[in-house]
Amino acid sequence: MTDISIPLPKCQHLKILTGQKALVTGGSSGIGKAVAIALGQAGADVVVNYHSDEDEAHEVADTITAAGSKALVVGADVSREEDVQRMFHQMLDSFGTIDILVANAGMQQDAPLDEMTLKQWQKVIDVNLTGQFLCAREAVREFKRRGVVDEISCAAGKIICMSSVHQTIPWAGHVNYAASKGGIMQMMRSIAQEVAPFRIRVNSLCPGAIRTPINADAWNTKEAYDSLMKLIPYNRIGEPEDIGRAAAWLASDQADYITGASLVIDGGMCLYPGFAHGG
Ligand code: BGC
């Protein structure tokens, strides 16, 4: 079966997040945009954080508003402590609290190891890993202060860390990125262990190849797409909405007993496709 035109599931967006307040970092494009929209469609009011593309962030906010939820656009560099604290203050001022953090903002700066500069290493670690630490810390402070509100959610708060299949798959030429995602895995699990007694759930989503600007070179020509399919048994690239739907479900009370988990969403990329015939 090699048909890549198989239709995506047509999911009705159930309002499983009604009354909840969500923050999505890096919510102006790619996976973050799809997650912000999915949470809004599921009934959450959403803070759409952006770093540089303010216009796109406002378009995302308009889509959320059209779905009947509130949206607030906030610019911040998640790797800067003062920016993160200002963003949380703005959110708490406008929305009163936070129930869901999706720590999504991330980037790649690829180079062979012997050409990678310290600046490239540091930048990716700062945004992808330190940025998630700073946001998770502020979210946990508010979750602990407020506690569980029965009519809103079974949990006092939910954190979803955007990781990657590269938290486990090594990736030559991308050691800064793979190290940041491996770090997210143990940061997420350690935070989950620490805050579970406070009824705070912490999990990761681990996307494989998703059709976004970050990896356009891997899918925007026929040759690249065909080569990518050798790594994906399910034989289609992921769409940002595949991640959006999973985020809405994982943040909802339908996933209430799940904490410390990494949910891989990759069309089978982690299944060692090279072993399908042979080994
Ligand atoms: C990366 C993409 C890549 C995918 C699968 C993601 O985490 O950001 O660039 O295509 O992993 O390798």
Side-chain angles (χ1 to χ4, degrees):
M1 167 68 95
T2 54
D3 183 5
I4 57 160
S5 63
I6 300 163
L8 288 170
K10 299 270 178 290
C11 288
Q12 263 207 301
H13 287 283
L14 304 171
K15 299 275 180 188
I16 51 179
L17 299 177
T18 298
Q20 303 205 37
K21 316 294 179 193
L23 165 62
V24 181
T25 67
S28 57
S29 71
I31 288 174
K33 171 180 176 176
V35 168
I37 291 171
L39 299 190
Q41 289 173 333
D45 295 333
V46 184
V47 172
V48 181
N49 158 254
Y50 71 93
H51 177 243
S52 28
D53 33 14
E54 184 173 2
D55 290 347
E56 281 192 69
H58 280 286
E59 282 170 28
V60 174
D62 289 346
T63 307
I64 292 167
T65 311
S69 296
K70 291 191 190 123
L72 175 71
V73 171
V74 180
D77 176 344
V78 294
S79 69
R80 295 169 58 91
E81 187 175 32
E82 60 273 27
D83 276 30
V84 170
Q85 290 182 336
R86 175 183 44 78
M87 174 168 67
F88 272 79
H89 282 142
Q90 279 178 254
M91 176 165 191
L92 300 192
D93 277 353
S94 297
F95 285 178
T97 192
I98 178 170
D99 303 287
I100 300 162
L101 164 67
V102 183
N104 164 78
M107 64 183 315
Q108 288 180 215
Q109 286 200 358
D110 310 324
L113 180 64
D114 51 345
E115 290 169 24
M116 186 174 285
T117 63
L118 177 58
K119 208 169 158 199
Q120 287 173 316
W121 167 268
Q122 199 72 61
K123 181 78 186 166
V124 170
I125 298 292
D126 282 354
V127 173
N128 295 11
L129 184 57
T130 308
Q132 292 204 8
F133 156 72
L134 290 171
C135 292
R137 188 182 62 175
E138 293 309 311
V140 164
R141 285 174 175 163
E142 171 61 9
F143 296 158
K144 280 188 172 182
R145 184 201 65 75
R146 194 205 54 232
V148 176
V149 179
D150 284 338
E151 51 281 13
I152 297 295
S153 173
C154 309
K158 283 83 55 152
I159 296 175
I160 296 176
C161 298
M162 201 55 69
S163 187
S164 163
V165 291
H166 296 296
Q167 71 172 30
T168 46
I169 300 178
W171 206 14
H174 309 258
V175 299
N176 47 1
Y177 183 83
S180 74
K181 296 300 181 178
I184 287 169
M185 175 174 62
Q186 280 298 58
M187 180 182 69
M188 178 279 289
R189 285 158 52 86
S190 300
I191 299 174
Q193 188 192 61
E194 182 174 326
V195 300
F198 300 93
R199 283 275 172 122
I200 298 167
R201 296 194 294 111
V202 189
N203 294 287
S204 288
L205 294 177
C206 303
I210 308 298
R211 192 195 308 271
T212 70
I214 203 172
N215 60 357
D217 289 350
W219 51 262
N220 67 3
T221 63
K222 185 176 180 324
E223 295 70 38
Y225 192 91
D226 288 348
S227 160
L228 182 63
M229 285 311 108
K230 296 191 183 114
L231 299 175
I232 306 179
Y234 204 62
N235 221 10
R236 72 164 170 87
I237 194 168
E239 302 296 342
E241 293 74 16
D242 287 313
I243 312 301
R245 283 192 299 274
W249 170 78
L250 190 54
S252 80
D253 282 354
Q254 295 186 6
D256 185 54
Y257 206 47
I258 300 176
T259 194
S262 290
L263 178 57
V264 174
I265 309 172
D266 69 345
M269 195 176 234
C270 284
L271 299 176
Y272 296 94
F275 279 75
H277 309 284

